[in-house]
Coordinates of all heavy atoms in Angstrom, one line a residue:
P148 N 68.1 77.1 -34.7 CA 67.3 78.0 -35.6 C 66.3 77.2 -36.4 O 66.6 76.1 -36.9 CB 68.4 78.6 -36.5 CG 69.4 77.5 -36.6 CD 69.3 76.7 -35.3
L149 N 65.1 77.8 -36.5 CA 64.0 77.2 -37.3 C 63.3 78.2 -38.2 O 63.0 79.3 -37.7 CB 62.9 76.5 -36.4 CG 63.3 75.4 -35.5 CD1 62.2 75.1 -34.5 CD2 63.7 74.1 -36.3
T150 N 63.1 77.9 -39.5 CA 62.3 78.8 -40.3 C 60.9 78.6 -39.9 O 60.5 77.6 -39.3 CB 62.5 78.5 -41.8 OG1 62.0 77.1 -42.0 CG2 64.0 78.6 -42.3
G151 N 60.0 79.5 -40.4 CA 58.6 79.4 -40.2 C 58.1 78.0 -40.7 O 57.2 77.4 -40.0
K152 N 58.6 77.6 -41.8 CA 58.2 76.3 -42.4 C 58.6 75.2 -41.5 O 57.9 74.3 -41.2 CB 58.9 76.2 -43.8 CG 58.6 74.9 -44.5 CD 59.4 74.9 -45.9 CE 59.2 73.6 -46.6 NZ 59.9 73.7 -47.9
E153 N 59.9 75.3 -41.0 CA 60.4 74.2 -40.1 C 59.7 74.1 -38.8 O 59.5 73.0 -38.3 CB 61.9 74.4 -39.9 CG 62.7 74.1 -41.2 CD 64.1 74.6 -41.1 OE1 64.4 75.5 -40.2 OE2 65.0 74.3 -41.9
V154 N 59.2 75.2 -38.2 CA 58.6 75.2 -36.9 C 57.1 74.6 -37.1 O 56.5 74.2 -36.1 CB 58.6 76.5 -36.2 CG1 57.5 77.5 -36.7 CG2 58.5 76.4 -34.7
G155 N 56.6 74.8 -38.3 CA 55.3 74.2 -38.6 C 54.2 75.2 -39.0 O 53.0 74.8 -38.9
I156 N 54.5 76.4 -39.4 CA 53.5 77.4 -39.7 C 53.0 77.1 -41.2 O 53.8 77.2 -42.1 CB 54.0 78.8 -39.6 CG1 54.3 79.2 -38.2 CG2 53.0 79.8 -40.2 CD1 55.0 80.5 -37.9
V157 N 51.8 76.7 -41.3 CA 51.2 76.3 -42.6 C 50.2 77.4 -43.0 O 49.4 77.8 -42.2 CB 50.5 75.0 -42.5 CG1 50.0 74.6 -43.9 CG2 51.4 73.9 -42.0
T158 N 50.3 77.9 -44.2 CA 49.4 79.0 -44.7 C 48.7 78.7 -46.0 O 49.0 77.6 -46.5 CB 50.3 80.3 -44.9 OG1 51.0 80.1 -46.2 CG2 51.3 80.6 -43.8
D159 N 47.8 79.6 -46.4 CA 47.3 79.4 -47.7 C 48.3 79.8 -48.7 O 49.4 80.2 -48.4 CB 46.0 80.3 -47.8 CG 46.2 81.8 -47.6 OD1 47.4 82.2 -47.7 OD2 45.3 82.5 -47.3
S160 N 47.9 79.8 -50.0 CA 48.9 80.1 -51.1 C 48.8 81.5 -51.6 O 49.2 81.8 -52.8 CB 48.8 79.1 -52.2 OG 49.0 77.8 -51.7
N161 N 48.4 82.4 -50.8 CA 48.3 83.8 -51.2 C 49.6 84.5 -50.9 O 49.8 85.2 -49.9 CB 47.1 84.5 -50.4 CG 46.9 85.9 -50.8 OD1 47.3 86.3 -51.9 ND2 46.3 86.7 -49.9
F162 N 50.5 84.3 -51.9 CA 51.9 84.8 -51.7 C 52.0 86.3 -51.5 O 51.3 87.0 -52.2 CB 52.8 84.4 -52.9 CG 52.9 82.9 -53.1 CD1 52.1 82.2 -54.1 CD2 53.7 82.1 -52.3 CE1 52.1 80.9 -54.2 CE2 53.7 80.7 -52.5 CZ 53.0 80.1 -53.4
G163 N 52.8 86.7 -50.5 CA 52.9 88.1 -50.2 C 52.0 88.6 -49.1 O 52.3 89.6 -48.4
E164 N 50.8 87.9 -49.0 CA 49.9 88.4 -47.9 C 49.2 87.1 -47.4 O 47.9 87.1 -47.3 CB 48.8 89.3 -48.5 CG 49.3 90.8 -48.7 CD 49.5 91.5 -47.3 OE1 48.9 91.1 -46.3 OE2 50.3 92.4 -47.3
S165 N 49.9 86.1 -47.1 CA 49.3 84.8 -46.7 C 48.7 84.8 -45.4 O 49.0 85.7 -44.5 CB 50.3 83.7 -46.8 OG 51.3 83.9 -45.8
K166 N 47.7 83.9 -45.1 CA 47.1 83.7 -43.8 C 47.3 82.3 -43.3 O 47.3 81.4 -44.1 CB 45.6 84.0 -44.0 CG 45.2 85.4 -44.1 CD 43.8 85.7 -44.0 CE 43.5 87.2 -44.0 NZ 42.1 87.5 -44.3
P167 N 47.5 82.1 -42.0 CA 47.8 80.8 -41.5 C 46.6 79.9 -41.5 O 45.5 80.4 -41.3 CB 48.3 81.1 -40.1 CG 47.6 82.4 -39.7 CD 47.5 83.2 -41.0
L168 N 46.8 78.6 -41.7 CA 45.7 77.6 -41.5 C 45.9 77.2 -40.1 O 46.7 76.3 -39.7 CB 45.9 76.5 -42.5 CG 46.0 76.9 -44.0 CD1 46.3 75.7 -44.9 CD2 44.8 77.6 -44.5
I169 N 45.1 77.8 -39.2 CA 45.4 77.7 -37.8 C 45.4 76.3 -37.2 O 46.3 76.0 -36.4 CB 44.4 78.7 -37.0 CG1 44.9 80.1 -37.1 CG2 44.4 78.3 -35.5 CD1 46.2 80.5 -36.5
D170 N 44.4 75.5 -37.5 CA 44.3 74.2 -36.9 C 45.5 73.3 -37.2 O 46.1 72.7 -36.4 CB 43.0 73.4 -37.3 CG 41.8 74.1 -36.7 OD1 42.0 74.8 -35.6 OD2 40.7 74.1 -37.3
T171 N 45.9 73.3 -38.5 CA 47.1 72.5 -38.9 C 48.4 73.1 -38.3 O 49.2 72.3 -37.8 CB 47.3 72.6 -40.5 OG1 46.0 72.3 -41.1 CG2 48.3 71.5 -41.0
T172 N 48.4 74.4 -38.3 CA 49.6 75.1 -37.7 C 49.7 74.7 -36.2 O 50.8 74.4 -35.7 CB 49.5 76.6 -37.9 OG1 49.5 76.9 -39.3 CG2 50.6 77.4 -37.2
R173 N 48.6 74.8 -35.5 CA 48.6 74.5 -34.0 C 49.2 73.1 -33.7 O 50.0 73.0 -32.8 CB 47.2 74.7 -33.5 CG 47.2 74.6 -31.9 CD 45.8 74.8 -31.4 NE 45.3 76.1 -31.6 CZ 44.2 76.4 -32.4 NH1 43.5 75.4 -32.9 NH2 43.8 77.6 -32.6
L174 N 48.7 72.1 -34.5 CA 49.2 70.8 -34.2 C 50.7 70.7 -34.5 O 51.4 70.1 -33.7 CB 48.5 69.8 -35.2 CG 47.0 69.5 -34.9 CD1 46.3 68.8 -36.0 CD2 46.8 68.8 -33.6
R175 N 51.2 71.2 -35.6 CA 52.6 71.1 -36.0 C 53.5 71.9 -35.0 O 54.5 71.4 -34.6 CB 52.8 71.5 -37.4 CG 52.1 70.6 -38.4 CD 52.5 70.9 -39.8 NE 51.7 70.1 -40.7 CZ 51.9 70.1 -42.0 NH1 52.9 70.8 -42.6 NH2 51.2 69.3 -42.8
V176 N 53.1 73.1 -34.8 CA 54.0 74.0 -34.0 C 54.1 73.5 -32.6 O 55.2 73.4 -32.0 CB 53.4 75.5 -34.0 CG1 54.2 76.3 -33.0 CG2 53.6 76.1 -35.4
S177 N 52.9 73.1 -31.9 CA 53.0 72.6 -30.5 C 53.8 71.4 -30.4 O 54.6 71.2 -29.5 CB 51.6 72.4 -30.0 OG 50.9 71.5 -30.7
K178 N 53.7 70.5 -31.4 CA 54.5 69.2 -31.4 C 56.0 69.5 -31.5 O 56.8 69.0 -30.7 CB 54.0 68.3 -32.5 CG 54.7 67.0 -32.5 CD 54.3 66.2 -33.8 CE 55.3 65.0 -33.9 NZ 55.3 64.5 -35.3
N179 N 56.4 70.4 -32.4 CA 57.8 70.7 -32.6 C 58.4 71.5 -31.4 O 59.5 71.2 -31.0 CB 58.0 71.5 -33.9 CG 57.7 70.7 -35.2 OD1 57.8 69.5 -35.2 ND2 57.3 71.4 -36.2
V180 N 57.6 72.4 -30.9 CA 58.2 73.2 -29.8 C 58.2 72.4 -28.5 O 59.2 72.5 -27.8 CB 57.3 74.5 -29.6 CG1 57.7 75.3 -28.4 CG2 57.5 75.4 -30.8
E181 N 57.2 71.6 -28.2 CA 57.2 70.8 -27.0 C 58.4 69.8 -27.0 O 59.1 69.6 -26.0 CB 55.9 69.9 -26.9 CG 54.7 70.8 -26.7 CD 54.6 71.5 -25.3 OE1 55.5 71.2 -24.4 OE2 53.7 72.3 -25.2
N182 N 58.7 69.3 -28.2 CA 59.9 68.4 -28.4 C 61.2 69.1 -28.0 O 62.0 68.6 -27.3 CB 59.9 67.9 -29.8 CG 61.0 66.9 -30.1 OD1 61.4 66.2 -29.2 ND2 61.5 66.9 -31.3
L183 N 61.3 70.4 -28.4 CA 62.5 71.1 -28.1 C 62.6 71.5 -26.6 O 63.6 71.5 -26.0 CB 62.6 72.4 -29.0 CG 62.9 72.1 -30.5 CD1 62.7 73.3 -31.3 CD2 64.4 71.6 -30.6
F184 N 61.4 71.9 -26.1 CA 61.3 72.2 -24.6 C 61.8 71.0 -23.8 O 62.5 71.2 -22.8 CB 59.9 72.7 -24.2 CG 59.6 74.1 -24.6 CD1 58.2 74.5 -24.6 CD2 60.5 75.0 -25.0 CE1 57.9 75.8 -24.9 CE2 60.2 76.3 -25.3 CZ 58.9 76.7 -25.3
S185 N 61.4 69.8 -24.2 CA 61.8 68.6 -23.4 C 63.3 68.4 -23.4 O 63.8 67.8 -22.5 CB 61.0 67.4 -23.9 OG 61.6 67.1 -25.2
K186 N 64.0 69.0 -24.4 CA 65.4 68.9 -24.5 C 66.1 70.1 -24.0 O 67.3 70.3 -24.2 CB 65.8 68.7 -26.0 CG 65.4 67.4 -26.6 CD 65.7 67.3 -28.1 CE 65.1 66.1 -28.8 NZ 65.1 66.2 -30.2
K187 N 65.3 71.0 -23.3 CA 65.8 72.2 -22.7 C 66.6 73.1 -23.8 O 67.7 73.6 -23.5 CB 66.8 71.9 -21.5 CG 66.0 71.2 -20.4 CD 66.6 71.6 -19.0 CE 65.8 71.1 -17.8 NZ 64.6 70.4 -18.0
T188 N 66.0 73.2 -25.0 CA 66.6 73.9 -26.1 C 65.7 75.1 -26.4 O 64.5 75.0 -26.4 CB 66.7 73.0 -27.3 OG1 67.5 71.8 -27.0 CG2 67.3 73.7 -28.5
V189 N 66.3 76.2 -26.7 CA 65.6 77.4 -27.1 C 65.4 77.5 -28.6 O 66.4 77.7 -29.3 CB 66.3 78.7 -26.6 CG1 65.6 80.0 -27.1 CG2 66.4 78.7 -25.1
P190 N 64.2 77.4 -29.2 CA 64.0 77.5 -30.6 C 64.1 79.0 -31.0 O 63.4 79.9 -30.3 CB 62.6 77.0 -30.9 CG 62.0 76.8 -29.6 CD 62.9 77.0 -28.5
V191 N 64.8 79.4 -32.0 CA 64.9 80.7 -32.6 C 64.2 80.6 -34.0 O 64.8 80.1 -34.9 CB 66.3 81.3 -32.7 CG1 66.3 82.7 -33.3 CG2 66.9 81.3 -31.3
V192 N 63.0 81.2 -34.1 CA 62.2 81.0 -35.3 C 62.2 82.3 -36.1 O 62.1 83.4 -35.6 CB 60.7 80.7 -34.9 CG1 59.8 80.5 -36.1 CG2 60.7 79.5 -33.9
G193 N 62.3 82.1 -37.4 CA 62.2 83.2 -38.4 C 60.8 83.7 -38.5 O 59.9 83.0 -38.7
G194 N 60.6 85.0 -38.2 CA 59.2 85.6 -38.3 C 58.9 85.9 -39.8 O 59.7 85.6 -40.7
F195 N 57.6 86.3 -40.0 CA 57.2 86.8 -41.3 C 57.0 85.7 -42.4 O 56.4 86.0 -43.4 CB 58.3 87.8 -41.7 CG 58.4 88.3 -43.1 CD1 57.4 89.1 -43.6 CD2 59.4 88.0 -44.0 CE1 57.4 89.6 -44.9 CE2 59.5 88.5 -45.3 CZ 58.5 89.3 -45.7
V196 N 57.5 84.5 -42.1 CA 57.5 83.5 -43.1 C 56.8 82.2 -42.7 O 56.9 81.8 -41.5 CB 59.0 83.1 -43.5 CG1 59.0 82.0 -44.5 CG2 59.7 84.4 -44.0
G197 N 56.1 81.5 -43.6 CA 55.5 80.2 -43.4 C 55.7 79.4 -44.7 O 56.6 79.7 -45.5
A198 N 54.9 78.4 -44.8 CA 54.9 77.7 -46.1 C 53.5 77.2 -46.4 O 52.7 76.9 -45.4 CB 55.9 76.5 -46.0
D199 N 53.1 77.1 -47.7 CA 51.8 76.6 -48.0 C 51.8 75.0 -47.9 O 52.8 74.4 -47.6 CB 51.2 77.1 -49.3 CG 52.0 76.6 -50.5 OD1 52.8 75.6 -50.3 OD2 51.8 77.0 -51.6
Q200 N 50.6 74.4 -48.2 CA 50.5 73.0 -48.0 C 51.4 72.2 -49.0 O 51.6 71.0 -48.8 CB 49.0 72.6 -48.2 CG 48.2 73.0 -46.9 CD 46.7 72.9 -47.2 OE1 46.2 73.6 -48.1 NE2 46.0 72.2 -46.4
H201 N 51.9 72.9 -50.0 CA 52.8 72.2 -51.0 C 54.2 72.4 -50.6 O 55.2 72.0 -51.3 CB 52.5 72.7 -52.4 CG 51.1 72.7 -52.8 ND1 50.4 71.5 -53.0 CD2 50.2 73.7 -53.0 CE1 49.1 71.8 -53.3 NE2 49.0 73.1 -53.3
G202 N 54.5 73.1 -49.5 CA 55.8 73.4 -49.0 C 56.5 74.6 -49.6 O 57.7 74.9 -49.4
H203 N 55.7 75.4 -50.4 CA 56.3 76.6 -51.0 C 56.3 77.7 -49.9 O 55.4 77.9 -49.2 CB 55.5 77.1 -52.2 CG 55.3 76.1 -53.3 ND1 54.1 75.8 -53.9 CD2 56.3 75.3 -53.8 CE1 54.3 74.9 -54.8 NE2 55.6 74.5 -54.8

Side-chain angles (χ1 to χ4, degrees):
L149 296 169
T150 62
K152 178 180 175 178
E153 288 163 347
V154 82
I156 295 175
V157 184
T158 73
D159 59 21
S160 301
N161 183 19
F162 298 101
E164 281 290 336
S165 65
K166 285 191 172 159
L168 307 178
I169 283 294
D170 292 331
T171 314
T172 297
R173 189 179 294 116
L174 290 170
R175 293 190 186 184
V176 170
S177 59
K178 183 184 167 204
N179 291 334
V180 171
E181 294 294 350
N182 183 28
L183 289 167
F184 281 166
S185 69
K186 295 174 185 168
K187 299 209 167 4
T188 301
V189 175
V191 178
V192 181
F195 167 68
V196 177
D199 68 9
Q200 287 164 303
H201 311 289
H203 302 134

